[in-house]
Amino acid sequence: MENRAPVQPSSFSLASIPAFWPVAMAASLATEGAELYAKNLKFVEEEIRIHEDLRPELATPNQVRLDLRTMRLRDYGRPGKIPTLVDAPYAGHTAVIADYHKGQSLIETLLANGIAHVALTDWKSATPDMKDLEIDNYLAELVVAIDDLGGRVNLVGLCQGGWLSAMLAARFPEKVHSLVLAGAPIDTDAGDGPIKRMVHASPQSFYQELVALGGGLMQGKFMLQGWKNMHPRQHYIRDHVDLYEHIDDPAYVAKEETFNSWYENPIDLPGRWYLQVIQQLFKENRLAKGRFVGLGRTLDLRAIVCPVYLLAGAQDDITAPEQVLDAAKYVGTPKDRIVQKTVPGGHIGLFMGARTLRDHWPLIARWIAAQ
């Protein structure tokens, strides 16, 4: 009888039996199916969290200096020389755009580069009782904020906060020591951006109907859909695919949560204010043409004689670079006291992009401090 060595357990497996292979494959698929189910569930839970649960929060400790009808005036740093007031956009998103994230914040950057005292306009979402507020109401409360800060400020206007800042500087030039306009549509006829084309292609009745649908308000959710429709593939497909592919990467998910807590939570605007902006500023370009009436007086940008810094994004598809830079043609500031700068990137990146905050805003902060 032939002697055979005993089979060692380590050299034998059911997987070596061909008849067992389908069973092994089924077990593997079952395991993969469970993992896929868990990943899908995690993705769905994160999508719900991003779009329904998260709310934007300012990154840097601050004090509420004033609580007005239209805004909270936030105070950062310590009293020093002339304070710097950052006028955040009132265009459908919160002031978090100026104080986005620790290590990636415009406010933090200003404080770290020679500006001891910074304040921020934190504009409130409009409620139904605010539906008839006009630009004058916001201009007046910006005056109140500046007076509370001592009556004279370095004014930094971001996007829509830029034209409001320019209005104030033209109406009360003695209140503005220096003026920074970043991504601010001052000459709305300049350039050939999609916003300009859309505003001129759509009748005013279209915007009136949107306000009517919002019960007298321009609801933030309408504007959010409009912004997303400018880049539908990115917002409706790519963003979700990217999140799914990185759902197991905590750093990526945390970054997405920080951004979307701001982006996916728009604020409402007064309908009368919104229609006034569309008609008088974007359709008729009254501010640049010297025909806008602010707080009872026709505003002339030539009344602005303080140092001016104009910052534009080369790939900005919200505010074309020309709409910002052409302000140099209208203000009364001597040409040698005007800085015009175009930097890489798009609109949002001007205020909260890590590269722009690292490479360009420190220079602007030091420029402000030197005035």
Side-chain angles (χ1 to χ4, degrees):
M1 187 177 199
E2 184 180 355
N3 293 324
R4 295 183 180 180
V7 176
Q8 300 297 322
S10 59
S11 65
F12 177 77
S13 169
L14 288 174
S16 65
I17 303 175
F20 186 74
W21 290 350
V23 180
M25 291 175 64
S28 174
L29 288 173
T31 301
E32 291 177 4
E35 292 174 352
L36 182 63
Y37 176 81
K39 181 175 182 177
N40 289 346
L41 182 61
K42 190 174 182 180
F43 169 74
V44 170
E45 289 176 342
E46 187 60 34
E47 282 278 295
I48 293 172
R49 176 171 166 77
I50 283 175
H51 292 89
E52 296 185 15
D53 297 340
L54 297 177
R55 293 295 179 268
E57 295 182 1
L58 296 166
T60 310
N62 64 86
Q63 299 288 330
V64 176
R65 185 183 182 106
L66 291 176
D67 193 347
L68 302 171
R69 188 182 189 193
T70 64
M71 69 151 144
R72 294 179 181 87
L73 181 63
R74 305 269 180 182
D75 219 4
Y76 299 82
R78 62 187 186 280
K81 298 179 180 178
I82 297 175
T84 294
L85 175 59
V86 177
D87 189 10
Y90 189 50
H93 278 110
T94 72
V96 164
I97 195 171
D99 191 16
Y100 175 58
H101 186 62
K102 184 172 177 58
Q104 193 174 337
S105 160
L106 173 55
I107 298 293
E108 185 181 60
T109 300
L110 295 175
L111 291 170
N113 287 276
I115 300 179
H117 186 191
V118 179
L120 173 66
T121 59
D122 185 3
W123 300 106
K124 297 178 180 179
S125 184
T127 50
D129 65 306
M130 297 168 68
K131 64 184 178 63
D132 291 323
L133 295 186
E134 298 182 337
I135 291 175
D136 267 4
N137 297 102
Y138 290 81
L139 194 55
E141 296 214 337
L142 189 59
V143 173
V144 171
I146 292 174
D147 285 347
D148 196 75
L149 289 165
R152 188 170 172 84
V153 298
N154 297 301
L155 192 54
V156 179
L158 311 180
C159 184
Q160 305 294 347
W163 56 252
L164 189 68
S165 297
M167 287 179 180
L168 188 136
R171 183 67 177 82
F172 303 101
E174 71 282 0
K175 294 184 179 296
V176 181
H177 185 69
S178 68
L179 179 65
V180 177
L181 301 176
I186 302 301
D187 182 359
T188 58
D189 284 341
D192 188 34
I195 299 296
K196 173 188 171 181
R197 295 196 299 270
M198 180 188 71
V199 168
H200 287 283
S202 305
Q204 186 72 354
S205 59
F206 167 74
Y207 301 100
Q208 291 169 340
E209 289 171 5
L210 288 176
V211 169
L213 284 173
L217 301 175
M218 182 56 188
Q219 293 192 355
K221 63 182 180 181
F222 295 159
M223 290 181 288
L224 181 61
Q225 292 307 313
W227 295 320
K228 287 185 175 182
N229 288 340
M230 291 177 64
H231 303 283
R233 181 177 179 82
Q234 179 64 43
H235 289 290
Y236 298 121
I237 300 175
R238 190 71 256 165
D239 284 352
H240 301 282
V241 171
D242 288 345
L243 177 62
Y244 185 81
E245 291 178 346
H246 295 86
I247 195 64
D248 294 319
D249 180 350
Y252 182 90
V253 171
K255 184 178 178 180
E256 285 296 291
E257 287 186 351
T258 299
F259 178 77
N260 284 294
S261 66
W262 170 76
Y263 190 73
E264 295 289 341
N265 286 281
I267 61 176
D268 300 332
L269 310 176
R272 186 181 297 273
W273 178 95
Y274 178 77
L275 294 175
Q276 189 181 14
V277 170
I278 292 293
Q279 184 66 42
Q280 297 187 22
L281 298 184
F282 284 88
K283 284 183 175 291
E284 300 174 1
N285 199 18
R286 289 192 191 181
L287 181 60
K289 292 178 178 179
R291 296 194 292 110
F292 184 84
V293 178
L295 294 176
R297 183 173 296 170
T298 301
L299 303 183
D300 186 348
L301 293 176
R302 289 176 299 180
I304 299 174
V305 294
C306 65
V308 173
Y309 198 113
L310 304 173
L311 180 68
Q315 290 79 42
D316 191 337
D317 58 0
I318 300 297
T319 302
E322 298 90 341
Q323 294 185 348
V324 188
L325 303 177
D326 279 8
K329 300 177 181 178
Y330 302 104
V331 299
T333 303
K335 300 305 178 186
D336 62 352
R337 303 185 75 193
I338 300 175
V339 179
Q340 294 171 281
K341 185 73 173 179
T342 303
V343 301
H347 190 69
I348 293 176
L350 277 177
F351 323 118
M352 54 203 297
R355 180 175 57 182
T356 308
L357 290 171
R358 181 193 67 229
D359 296 343
H360 301 288
W361 277 103
L363 300 176
I364 298 173
R366 292 193 284 273
W367 177 89
I368 293 172
Q371 302 309 314

